[in-house]
């Protein structure tokens, strides 16, 4: 899985290099997502932390801290 400044989390087939799934995010991501088991965790420029089911490419939960002083990445 990769993410970037376009605000999309993408699943790439490592054999072919083809995109196999994409999940639009609420904001851009500056750092690589972290993976644990079947879940992916990432922080966005709008200070949201999210967990995504890597196989289904769907959002599991978000954490939106207050106040929003600095982005998580």
């Amino acid at each position: 899985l990769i993410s970037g400044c376009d605000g999309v989390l993408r699943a790439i087939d490592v054999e072919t290099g083809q995109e196999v799934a994409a999940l639009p995010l609420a904001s851009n991501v500056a750092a690589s997502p972290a993976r644990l088991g079947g879940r992916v965790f990432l922080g966005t420029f709008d200070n949201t932390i999210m967990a995504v089911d890597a196989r289904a490419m769907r959002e599991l939960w978000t954490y939106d801290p207050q106040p929003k002083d600095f982005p998580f990445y």
Side-chain angles (χ1 to χ4, degrees):
L1 297 172
I2 61 169
S3 60
C5 292
D6 64 351
V8 179
L9 180 65
R10 300 177 194 288
I12 306 297
D13 182 310
V14 296
E15 298 295 322
T16 66
Q18 299 296 309
E19 181 180 302
V20 294
L23 176 65
L25 307 171
S27 181
N28 297 343
V29 177
S32 298
R35 186 169 183 155
L36 178 64
R39 293 183 178 186
V40 174
F41 303 91
L42 52 98
T44 68
F45 273 107
D46 70 353
N47 283 354
T48 301
I49 299 171
M50 359 180 11
V52 173
D53 180 311
R55 186 169 300 273
M57 286 296 282
R58 67 177 178 84
E59 183 181 299
L60 297 172
W61 54 258
T62 61
Y63 171 66
D64 191 22
Q66 300 297 324
K68 295 184 171 196
D69 294 329
F70 297 100
F72 289 103
Y73 54 85

